[in-house]
Amino acid sequence: MEILYASLLGFFLFLVIYLFDNHKPSGHANLPSGKTGFLVIGETLEFLYAGWKGKFIFDRIAKYSSNVFKTSLFGSPSVVFCGVNGHRFLFSNENKLVRVWFPHSINKIFRQSTETFSTEEAINARKHIRTLIKPEGLQSHIGLMDTFAHCHFVNYWENKDIVLVFPLVKHFTFLLACRLLMSFEDPNLVAILENAVKFVLKGAFSVPIDLPGTPLNHAMKASSFIQKELLVIIKQRKIELAKGMTSPTQDILSHMLSTSDDNGSFMDEVDIANKMFGLLVGSHDNIASVCTSIVKYLAELPEIYQEVYQEQLEIAKSKAPGELLNWDDIQKMKYSWNVACEVMRLTPPSQFAFREALTDFTYNGFSIPKGWKLYWTPQSTHSNHELFPEPHKFDPSRFEGSGPPPYAYVPFGGGPRMCPGKEFARLEILVFMHHLVKRFRWEKRIPDEKIVYLPIASPEKGLPIRLFPHKA
């Protein structure tokens, strides 16, 4: 009898797989090649566990002999766009044929931050951000970044034998984001918010089930808590602005509160809290990922480390005691930035991004249905040997001169939705590199430590390293 039950169960599972695997949505002719996997689940699990070097993508490009193929990810039928042409098409058709889209778990956590992302209101919010983080506007923040980095290394790195890099760098970037976005430094509040953000990130790309104890449920509770705390900060800032106690251009929060749209309307407090929440998360975690990867590669490549060290040492020697870094110093860090760019090519902090088809359209002769989700990934070009010869070799010289071809190197995205914080990230990364290499050389404690995406690139064990301070 047990054998019969086992046989029936096996037949039932086979039938389920047969019915749902390779199923084709009806009503659409000439879809790209590919399969949509199991019902609801699709190919999401294979996608998430296929590894961070783009195996999911390149296996299918080879199988279907195409740079566009269909699949099903995060519960939705999807089309993956690969290569330079795929990037160019998506970036140049933003809000025409496609718009930004987020998986259900992201929408549940960030709510209005994502629900209004393509509206006029969101466009105005992005204008606020771009106004304050233009290169000329950021120059005044370099000294603050330098001061914060100095204090961070004195408090958490100096006089230590072994440190765990990833959590330390995340703390540094989060603290700096709080200061630059909202001008607060209360260590107790920072610690509370930082802990809550950890739950948000764990639930961001989790299974979209909101039940007690699930990662999504924890993330949603943390989201509500953070936004309540932000509302308290916003209300206090409004009072300070009304009394003239602070400047409307002090930071992004003051700018949002003080600037009206073309109709003379101001953003309401709840929406500002949502936007600040999104900025707080987005402006620190990716930068922490990049800085941690830089530590990893410099430990593995002593000849690259030595060139970065020499460049940063010359800058350090040119400064008088107590003199802070300035814009001219940043411009001298050309080789260091080429190294950071090569790190982001090999290990982009984010593995993927989504769009949604606004209407039926045709791409490369294939029909793309309205409402389908469109996926792009930096790895489809970053690891392409035609665009980057010997793609797995670390070579900062790729970024000398005019650099890679357009749409080939896209760690910050492209088009209207290119990350507005690109220059902010460059400054923060270079200031971090300056303080790191002028103080230490180091070695990895786990030579073969893996990189995982949860959801950003991070070392599986946090990247423990042994520090060797430079002799004075």
Side-chain angles (χ1 to χ4, degrees):
M1 185 64 69
E2 291 179 1
I3 295 176
L4 175 61
Y5 286 150
S7 299
L8 289 173
L9 178 59
F11 175 78
F12 174 76
L13 291 175
F14 172 81
L15 182 62
V16 169
I17 293 171
Y18 178 80
L19 288 174
F20 294 136
D21 195 25
N22 298 304
H23 68 281
K24 288 186 177 181
S26 60
H28 299 288
N30 201 31
L31 292 168
S33 300
K35 63 178 184 177
T36 49
F38 297 102
L39 188 67
V40 181
I41 296 174
E43 295 189 293
T44 303
L45 296 180
E46 188 174 355
F47 166 74
L48 291 174
Y49 292 105
W52 63 278
K53 290 187 179 293
K55 187 176 187 301
F56 180 92
I57 300 297
F58 291 110
D59 282 355
R60 284 154 181 76
I61 290 175
K63 181 176 181 179
Y64 304 120
S65 301
S66 174
N67 279 328
V68 56
F69 58 87
K70 75 170 182 286
T71 181
S72 179
L73 300 173
F74 301 103
S76 300
S78 308
V79 176
V80 179
F81 286 71
C82 304
V84 165
N85 290 335
H87 292 164
R88 180 186 292 112
F89 179 85
L90 291 179
F91 298 158
S92 61
N93 283 288
E94 190 73 49
N95 296 324
K96 301 173 187 174
L97 299 179
V98 306
R99 66 180 175 188
V100 69
W101 177 84
F102 297 92
H104 181 68
S105 55
I106 296 285
N107 283 323
K108 294 281 283 185
I109 294 168
F110 288 90
R111 292 177 295 186
Q112 293 179 19
S113 292
T114 55
E115 290 168 6
T116 62
F117 232 77
S118 298
T119 66
E120 186 68 27
E121 186 178 89
I123 293 171
N124 286 333
R126 289 175 72 84
K127 287 180 181 177
H128 293 321
I129 298 165
R130 286 195 176 97
T131 298
L132 289 179
I133 57 178
K134 289 179 180 178
E136 56 270 26
L138 283 172
Q139 293 183 30
S140 61
H141 295 312
I142 296 173
L144 177 63
M145 290 182 177
D146 190 18
T147 301
F148 264 65
H150 173 79
C151 293
H152 171 74
F153 278 96
V154 168
N155 292 331
Y156 298 102
W157 295 66
E158 290 185 358
N159 301 314
K160 302 290 193 303
D161 182 31
I162 295 173
V163 297
L164 198 59
V165 175
F166 190 48
L168 281 184
V169 178
K170 284 183 71 174
H171 178 65
F172 167 65
T173 58
F174 187 80
L175 185 64
L176 190 54
C178 289
R179 176 61 179 82
L180 291 174
L181 293 174
M182 294 173 282
S183 301
F184 75 84
E185 303 176 51
D186 180 345
N188 293 325
L189 181 57
V190 169
I192 291 170
L193 292 178
E194 187 176 11
N195 186 62
V197 165
K198 292 177 184 177
F199 288 100
V200 169
L201 294 170
K202 286 179 181 178
F205 288 94
S206 62
V207 177
I209 298 176
D210 179 19
L211 292 175
T214 62
L216 178 58
N217 183 261
H218 285 310
M220 290 174 63
K221 289 180 178 178
S223 170
S224 296
F225 172 79
I226 292 170
Q227 291 181 68
K228 286 179 182 177
E229 292 296 323
L230 293 178
L231 275 172
V232 174
I233 295 170
I234 291 166
K235 290 179 184 298
Q236 179 60 34
R237 179 64 61 83
K238 286 184 74 173
I239 294 172
E240 293 170 357
L241 285 166
K243 293 182 177 180
M245 298 167 60
T246 188
S247 165
T249 59
Q250 174 179 317
D251 51 33
I252 288 178
L253 175 57
S254 285
H255 192 76
M256 284 187 173
L257 284 167
S258 305
T259 307
S260 63
D261 61 21
D262 295 337
N263 298 318
S265 300
F266 292 84
M267 295 174 64
D268 64 54
E269 294 177 2
V270 172
D271 195 55
I272 290 177
N274 273 282
K275 296 296 186 294
M276 295 306 299
F277 173 42
L279 285 171
L280 191 61
V281 174
S283 65
H284 90 281
D285 221 51
N286 284 340
I287 297 175
S289 172
V290 174
C291 289
T292 302
S293 293
I294 288 170
V295 176
K296 167 189 177 296
Y297 282 105
L298 291 184
E300 296 169 350
L301 302 164
E303 69 283 3
I304 301 295
Y305 168 86
Q306 190 61 32
E307 289 202 48
V308 172
Y309 173 64
Q310 290 300 326
E311 181 176 78
Q312 297 296 343
L313 187 60
E314 288 182 17
I315 294 170
K317 287 180 176 179
S318 72
K319 310 301 289 183
E323 183 183 359
L324 298 176
L325 291 172
N326 57 42
W327 182 251
D328 289 338
D329 297 322
I330 296 296
Q331 300 312 106
K332 294 175 184 176
M333 300 180 186
K334 291 186 170 76
Y335 183 79
S336 297
W337 183 240
N338 287 346
V339 168
C341 288
E342 181 69 343
V343 167
M344 288 186 280
R345 184 189 70 82
L346 286 165
T347 310
S350 180
Q351 195 177 20
F352 51 84
F354 284 98
R355 299 292 187 268
E356 180 181 49
L358 288 170
T359 184
D360 292 345
F361 63 84
T362 300
Y363 176 77
N364 274 15
F366 295 112
S367 297
I368 311 298
K370 177 181 179 180
W372 274 42
K373 314 314 175 196
L374 316 173
Y375 162 88
W376 70 271
T377 171
Q379 288 292 6
S380 77
T381 52
H382 289 193
S383 298
N384 187 317
H385 66 89
E386 294 178 358
L387 299 169
F388 298 97
E390 298 184 85
H392 301 302
K393 177 183 177 181
F394 194 98
D395 182 7
S397 69
R398 303 179 197 273
F399 297 91
E400 295 175 356
S402 58
Y407 302 101
Y409 179 68
V410 289
F412 297 100
R417 293 207 57 78
M418 177 179 281
C419 176
K422 176 181 176 181
E423 189 63 23
F424 172 88
R426 185 176 83 95
L427 297 182
E428 192 169 342
I429 289 166
L430 288 173
V431 170
F432 173 83
M433 291 177 73
H434 175 78
H435 280 269
L436 174 70
V437 301
K438 79 173 185 179
R439 284 176 166 83
F440 310 107
R441 63 181 181 87
W442 58 91
E443 64 181 23
K444 293 167 61 178
R445 297 289 292 159
I446 307 175
D448 58 349
E449 185 175 6
K450 294 180 180 178
I451 297 294
V452 294
Y453 277 85
L454 297 171
I456 63 166
S458 56
E460 192 172 35
K461 304 295 183 181
L463 191 60
I465 61 171
R466 182 180 295 277
L467 297 171
F468 301 95
H470 293 302
K471 294 180 180 179

